[in-house]
Amino acid sequence: MRIDLDQMCVYDKVAKYIIEAECREPLHIGTGNGENGEVLIHPEENRPFVQAAGIAGAFREFYQYDEALQTRLFGSPYRGSEEKGSRVFFTDGFFGESSVYTEIRPRLRIDRRTATGQSVRTKGSDRRSGQKFEIESVAAGSRFSFAVYLYQKEEKLEKELERGLKALQEGRIQLGGQKSNGCGYVSLHSVKKAVYNFYSAEDRKLWAGETKDTEEILPEILESGESGEERLCFELTGHTEGGILVKSIAVTEYGENVPDAVNIRNHQRAYILPASSVKGVLRSQIEKIAAYKNTVSAVSDLFGQEHGDSQEGRAGKIRCFDCVIGDEKANDQAPVQCRIHIDKFTGGVMYGGLFSEKPAYGKLTVRVELDGGCDRESGLVLMALRDLAIGIVPMGSGSSIGRGFLKGEKLTVKRGSRVLAVIDCENGRTEDGSQYMEQCLKALEQAGEG
């Protein structure tokens, strides 16, 4: 009796991809336990991992530009659909035991009306708390691997899925949370592919153990088609004027000359200005500019808004990144600054009021990206970065004693690889792209008039 495979088989071909990736920026995969901020740990492997559901959700969102293609790949979310479910299956992403590192960073909620630590009332009590919290992330440089299975029958979906892998490499797909703080960007190190054709008896045997030889296709993926990178990228280069101090959680060293507070450092031990601090300062300044220009609605478009009783929550368009401050060795050798607490009542030194701090110094580059922003929103970001470059807006703590101010050198605006504008901040002139600058500022003025 002849067996008709077309009638019996749901799929006639499976493409298997084995992906090895590296965190380009910190990666936060939370446990969901309130606001503790820990990363998700696998219960058996006892190490951080990326849930398959999170990877699948990020890829599904990427294909929202083509609803029909999204449905063909991931199925329909509605019951009663004629679709037979997802054709793409992801595995959990596991970090290598010798290549995974985590770092904990302190965070502070700021009340934008008072510029002080924000507090919230605990439900059912009169206690107020929640100003300070911590976020744990997998550090940049950590490597993980996962697999993707694409089940097909008389379809050619491999190129479409590989377009998503290319988007992951280009940064158009982010994994995990804290995306507006620059988290979730990864770089692909290897993409190996094996295709099992179920009309072949040999492939059916190999599929039982998934032992078919794989082929490296990463170069082919990166060279295929045109890059879809259309985000605006702002880069402000400059140097510190009086040092920057964003305090870390605690000093891990002990001794007579060890300061009480040091600037936060990443896993590579470099002194950094964290992305959350950059975003907080930019938001504060953009809110002031938007209020003056009578275009307050642009703030929620840029930074998103929380879900409330009268409004729907939505993600923001802006992405900020960690900034490395100066040279690590030079900052290690920088002198410790001693200070004292003064009793405002007596005018004398408070008992135990002597403390020491160690700010960071040197050159840095502030990076901000805007996903699909219009000229009005670009104008707001440009004006806020200008204020940062000329020393109007401080970053970090200690602005009352001259800390946190930058001396901007050059501000560059790019869309993909194309340079739109270059501004010489030191001499106050536009080197290139004056027409683009006028276009953004004009759009901002017209929005205010409207």
Side-chain angles (χ1 to χ4, degrees):
M1 183 179 66
R2 182 177 180 274
I3 298 177
D4 191 348
L5 291 177
D6 289 334
Q7 295 295 326
M8 297 184 61
C9 296
V10 179
Y11 305 107
D12 58 21
K13 184 170 64 172
V14 176
K16 178 183 177 181
Y17 299 84
I18 302 175
I19 295 99
E20 294 182 5
E22 178 180 326
C23 296
R24 198 162 72 230
E25 303 289 342
L27 173 65
H28 177 71
I29 305 292
T31 61
N33 295 329
E35 297 179 350
N36 296 327
E38 300 96 341
V39 297
L40 189 64
I41 302 296
H42 195 274
E44 295 183 0
E45 299 289 338
N46 196 29
R47 51 178 165 161
F49 76 108
V50 186
Q51 283 184 309
I55 303 175
F59 271 79
R60 183 186 180 96
E61 184 181 6
F62 168 73
Y63 290 99
Q64 65 184 354
Y65 66 88
D66 189 338
E67 187 174 350
L69 175 60
Q70 185 186 56
T71 302
R72 289 172 62 198
L73 284 170
F74 296 93
S76 174
Y78 306 105
R79 294 182 178 179
S81 172
E82 296 180 358
E83 295 295 330
K84 296 182 180 180
S86 177
R87 287 164 170 75
V88 186
F89 295 85
F90 296 83
T91 67
D92 292 333
F94 285 96
F95 289 89
E97 294 183 1
S98 61
S99 62
V100 58
Y101 311 95
T102 60
E103 50 190 35
I104 301 177
R105 299 187 183 182
R107 299 280 297 278
L108 179 68
R109 287 188 180 88
I110 299 295
D111 189 334
R112 293 188 294 277
R113 293 173 298 178
T114 63
T116 58
Q118 179 186 8
S119 63
V120 294
R121 186 175 66 85
T122 304
K123 187 175 181 180
S125 70
D126 295 329
R127 296 178 58 188
R128 302 185 68 85
S129 62
Q131 302 97 328
K132 190 175 183 299
F133 60 102
E134 297 169 356
I135 290 290
E136 183 181 17
S137 302
V138 177
S142 301
R143 293 194 177 190
F144 66 99
S145 60
F146 64 98
V148 185
Y149 296 85
L150 176 61
Y151 294 80
Q152 305 173 85
K153 182 174 182 179
E154 299 178 355
E155 291 179 308
K156 296 181 179 179
L157 297 174
E158 295 170 34
K159 293 300 180 184
E160 300 297 343
L161 178 60
E162 290 166 11
R163 185 187 303 176
L165 294 175
K166 182 177 182 180
L168 182 64
Q169 167 70 19
E170 293 177 345
R172 290 182 287 149
I173 294 179
Q174 290 175 264
L175 303 179
Q178 299 290 317
K179 293 183 175 67
S180 62
N181 291 321
C183 295
Y185 290 96
V186 303
S187 298
L188 300 181
H189 282 258
S190 173
V191 177
K192 296 180 179 179
K193 177 182 178 182
V195 178
Y196 296 86
N197 186 348
F198 292 155
Y199 287 105
S200 168
E202 181 65 24
D203 277 11
R204 290 198 299 271
K205 292 179 182 179
L206 294 173
W207 170 246
E210 299 183 26
T211 55
K212 189 172 183 178
D213 292 339
T214 57
E215 178 186 0
E216 179 63 58
I217 63 167
L218 181 58
E220 178 183 341
I221 290 177
L222 300 182
E223 294 174 0
S224 62
E226 296 182 359
S227 174
E229 182 58 70
E230 288 297 328
R231 289 173 299 181
L232 279 174
C233 180
F234 303 82
E235 289 188 357
L236 172 62
T237 59
H239 59 273
T240 61
E241 285 197 309
I244 289 181
L245 181 61
V246 181
K247 296 180 182 179
S248 61
I249 295 175
V251 177
T252 56
E253 300 175 358
Y254 300 92
E256 183 179 353
N257 298 322
V258 175
D260 299 308
V262 296
N263 193 82
I264 189 170
R265 307 174 78 170
N266 61 15
H267 170 71
Q268 285 81 17
R269 307 298 297 164
Y271 294 81
I272 63 169
L273 180 64
S276 56
S277 297
V278 177
K279 188 183 72 172
V281 169
L282 286 180
R283 175 162 190 159
S284 176
Q285 191 65 10
I286 285 175
E287 284 179 340
K288 297 174 184 176
I289 298 170
Y292 179 75
K293 295 293 185 181
N294 194 27
T295 177
V296 180
S297 62
V299 178
S300 59
D301 293 336
L302 280 170
F303 295 94
Q305 64 182 19
E306 295 181 359
H307 176 75
D309 297 333
S310 60
Q311 63 184 13
E312 294 184 358
R314 67 174 186 269
K317 301 177 181 179
I318 202 165
R319 301 287 186 270
C320 301
F321 298 88
D322 294 342
C323 310
V324 176
I325 305 172
D327 179 70
E328 178 184 346
K329 293 183 179 179
N331 279 315
D332 286 340
Q333 297 172 0
V336 176
Q337 298 180 359
C338 295
R339 299 176 62 190
I340 56 174
H341 283 296
I342 298 296
D343 189 326
K344 296 181 180 179
F345 182 73
T346 64
V349 180
M350 295 181 63
Y351 177 77
L354 177 65
F355 64 99
S356 57
E357 297 175 332
K358 190 174 182 179
Y361 306 85
K363 294 186 176 182
L364 74 164
T365 300
V366 178
R367 291 190 298 134
V368 179
E369 289 186 356
L370 198 56
D371 187 7
C374 62
D375 290 340
R376 175 189 62 163
E377 295 160 351
S378 300
L380 286 172
V381 176
L382 280 169
M383 294 186 74
L385 289 174
R386 174 208 60 183
D387 294 344
L388 188 63
I390 61 180
I392 294 179
V393 184
M395 309 191 77
S397 63
S399 59
S400 60
I401 57 173
R403 289 182 185 154
F405 294 96
L406 306 183
K407 181 66 174 178
E409 298 172 359
K410 184 173 291 187
L411 174 59
T412 306
V413 185
K414 298 179 181 179
R415 186 182 293 277
S417 58
R418 182 164 55 98
V419 177
L420 299 180
V422 179
I423 304 169
D424 184 353
C425 301
E426 292 182 309
N427 299 316
R429 61 187 180 88
T430 303
E431 295 182 357
D432 188 17
S434 57
Q435 183 177 356
Y436 172 76
M437 297 287 297
E438 294 175 1
Q439 177 181 325
C440 293
L441 297 178
K442 185 177 180 180
L444 186 57
E445 295 291 343
Q446 290 175 347
E449 294 172 1

